[in-house]
Amino acid sequence: MNISYYEQFICILSIYYTNWHLLSFTIAAKTFGVPKFTSDAMDVITDPDVDAVWICSPSQYHADQIKACAANGKHVFCEKPIATDLAETVEAINACNEAGVKLMIGLQRRFDPNFLRVRNAIETKEVGDTIVIKTCSRDPSPPPYEYVKGGGGIFNDMAVHDLDMTRFLAGEDPIEILAVGSCHIDKSIEDLPGSEAFDTATCIVKYPNGVSAMVDVCRQSSYGYDQRAEVLGTKGMIATDNVYPNTAKIYRNDFTGNADMPFDFFLSRYFEAYVTETEAFCKSLVEDSEVPCTGIDGLVALVMSLAADKSAAENRWVKFSEVIENVYCSSPTECSLLVDSDVFPDGFKPTKSLSELQNIVVPDVDEQKKSGSFTTKFKEMLGI
């Protein structure tokens, strides 16, 4: 990691969990040489010595903490999701854009060297034009019931990474989705509502030019993290394997294969990706360059997972515009959902595709440098 990025500004990494005690903070602070520590998020957000905040708290706190960071002029790195609600997501993004602070979303698989190699093969036409994209994501073991309950369901909580990866690899916005889910492993969750009752799910996503993407996710794989991607092109195919602790193999008369199982903890599996995305955010602050994973990327990922949820519930193809067009913003940071309503406020312009998200999301701080002030752009969007 290039330490010079950290010498040029102060970044305090704050992870808030209610079961952490003061002793834990004290030990961590002493170990890593952190001069100040706290268990209160607002102490960090309002600290005048803090330039940027990492938000790694439970999902339900993200939107309010992002807005608080924006109000205090802090740049933000936020783990996905931006919010669990689509309207709150738009509000949080716009709060940062209005305040002129950077917002980067932690979709760490975009920084994994395996997936990046596949992306590079697509961009350089190494395997020709893309025909089919496939990803799979299977966890070593299912989470506890208490985690699944209220977690937003398997599409929002888990498949969102794979859905975002298909968009990352396709290089275009998707059109529609078909999703199904089922429960095979933890029968205790079957009493939960909607897709919270699923521990297994499959999605098919349609992209422009007839390109399709297939995603399968499961809460359990007995052999460790199963995280793979495959792209079939007109000139060949590229695929990733799982990541192992080492490359050692065993050759016996009853077994030939890897000596050890794949990594079985997400921090081990994606360690390099977490480091790389952190460096990328720091670099964007130091050099005042564009963040590589924007608020729009986080918003589209949420739209995709919500559409998958809707598809599984209604057993049909769902266009992503069906999700977006229900969001109405009377101002950049005052948004609401108009679900199942045929009456829209005056001046409301339903968004027909992902490419028209600028109807509800104003330009971020980097786009504003290119295209004019925030106020002017928002007035143009509303026709004022």
Side-chain angles (χ1 to χ4, degrees), residues 130-135 166 169-170 207 211-214 230-232:
T130 300
I131 300 173
V132 175
I133 298 169
K134 292 183 179 180
T135 73
T166 67
L169 295 177
Y207 281 92
V211 174
S212 61
M214 286 167 275
E230 175 187 306
V231 173
L232 174 65

Side-chain angles (χ1 to χ4, degrees), residues 213-291:
M214 286 167 275
V215 169
D216 82 73
V217 295
C218 185
R219 296 283 194 186
Q220 177 175 285
S221 94
S222 58
Y223 46 89
Y225 267 107
D226 192 353
Q227 312 272 288
R228 290 173 285 127
E230 175 187 306
V231 173
L232 174 65
T234 54
K235 295 181 180 178
M237 187 266 287
I238 184 168
T240 64
D241 196 0
N242 289 314
V243 178
Y244 293 79
N246 54 67
T247 60
K249 293 184 181 295
I250 291 178
Y251 299 87
R252 298 197 313 251
N253 62 359
D254 60 344
F255 174 79
T256 297
N258 291 86
D260 297 299
M261 295 288 206
F263 284 116
D264 62 357
F265 186 48
F266 72 95
L267 287 178
S268 301
R269 167 60 183 85
Y270 286 108
F271 177 81
E272 188 172 352
Y274 285 122
V275 172
T276 304
E277 71 174 0
T278 301
E279 289 179 326
F281 180 57
C282 294
K283 186 174 187 289
S284 74
L285 298 183
V286 172
E287 299 180 356
D288 193 21
S289 57
E290 296 182 17
V291 297

Side-chain angles (χ1 to χ4, degrees), residues 76-366:
V76 183
F77 179 100
C78 183
E79 286 294 341
K80 71 86 187 168
I82 297 172
T84 54
D85 176 87
L86 192 58
E88 280 191 330
T89 300
V90 175
E91 289 178 348
I93 294 171
N94 283 341
C96 289
N97 296 349
E98 187 173 31
V101 298
K102 294 180 184 292
L103 171 63
M104 179 168 165
I105 307 305
L107 291 163
Q108 88 282 355
R109 293 188 193 182
R110 288 175 173 235
F111 300 88
D112 178 80
N114 300 283
F115 296 134
L116 282 173
R117 180 62 182 88
V118 177
R119 167 74 177 256
N120 178 259
I122 295 171
E123 290 180 328
T124 59
K125 301 291 185 179
E126 192 173 351
V127 293
D129 295 326
T130 300
I131 300 173
V132 175
I133 298 169
K134 292 183 179 180
T135 73
C136 84
S137 182
R138 300 163 189 164
D139 290 347
S141 59
Y145 179 92
E146 291 73 20
Y147 174 88
V148 178
K149 184 179 180 181
I154 196 168
F155 300 109
N156 294 324
D157 174 56
M158 185 178 180
V160 63
H161 282 291
D162 291 84
L163 293 170
D164 174 69
M165 182 50 56
T166 67
R167 177 174 175 253
F168 182 66
L169 295 177
E172 296 191 82
D173 288 328
I175 301 167
E176 58 184 342
I177 190 169
L178 179 65
V180 294
S182 53
C183 184
H184 297 274
I185 300 158
D186 183 5
K187 296 296 183 179
S188 70
I189 66 172
E190 288 187 308
D191 66 338
L192 295 176
S195 62
E196 290 183 8
F198 302 153
D199 57 30
T200 307
T202 305
C203 305
I204 302 175
V205 186
K206 288 184 181 179
Y207 281 92
N209 300 318
V211 174
S212 61
M214 286 167 275
V215 169
D216 82 73
V217 295
C218 185
R219 296 283 194 186
Q220 177 175 285
S221 94
S222 58
Y223 46 89
Y225 267 107
D226 192 353
Q227 312 272 288
R228 290 173 285 127
E230 175 187 306
V231 173
L232 174 65
T234 54
K235 295 181 180 178
M237 187 266 287
I238 184 168
T240 64
D241 196 0
N242 289 314
V243 178
Y244 293 79
N246 54 67
T247 60
K249 293 184 181 295
I250 291 178
Y251 299 87
R252 298 197 313 251
N253 62 359
D254 60 344
F255 174 79
T256 297
N258 291 86
D260 297 299
M261 295 288 206
F263 284 116
D264 62 357
F265 186 48
F266 72 95
L267 287 178
S268 301
R269 167 60 183 85
Y270 286 108
F271 177 81
E272 188 172 352
Y274 285 122
V275 172
T276 304
E277 71 174 0
T278 301
E279 289 179 326
F281 180 57
C282 294
K283 186 174 187 289
S284 74
L285 298 183
V286 172
E287 299 180 356
D288 193 21
S289 57
E290 296 182 17
V291 297
C293 192
T294 66
I296 289 290
D297 292 322
L299 176 59
V300 173
L302 178 62
V303 168
M304 293 180 75
S305 65
L306 292 173
D309 206 295
K310 184 177 181 67
S311 173
E314 299 179 7
N315 193 32
R316 67 179 180 87
W317 284 93
V318 171
K319 293 184 180 298
F320 296 107
S321 59
E322 295 180 45
V323 177
I324 306 169
E325 66 186 8
N326 289 317
V327 182
Y328 165 70
C329 296
S330 57
S331 75
T333 55
E334 295 178 309
C335 302
S336 58
L337 293 177
L338 304 174
V339 181
D340 301 323
S341 174
D342 294 326
V343 180
F344 297 100
D346 292 340
F348 176 61
K349 301 173 183 178
T351 302
K352 296 302 182 184
S353 70
L354 289 173
S355 63
E356 296 178 3
L357 275 172
Q358 65 267 22
N359 285 356
I360 54 175
V361 178
V362 298
D364 64 27
V365 61
D366 296 308

Side-chain angles (χ1 to χ4, degrees), residues 55-89:
I55 297 177
C56 312
S57 54
S59 299
Q60 62 266 32
Y61 301 115
H62 288 186
D64 286 341
Q65 289 174 349
I66 290 173
K67 293 175 186 176
C69 287
N72 285 273
K74 313 298 185 186
H75 300 292
V76 183
F77 179 100
C78 183
E79 286 294 341
K80 71 86 187 168
I82 297 172
T84 54
D85 176 87
L86 192 58
E88 280 191 330
T89 300

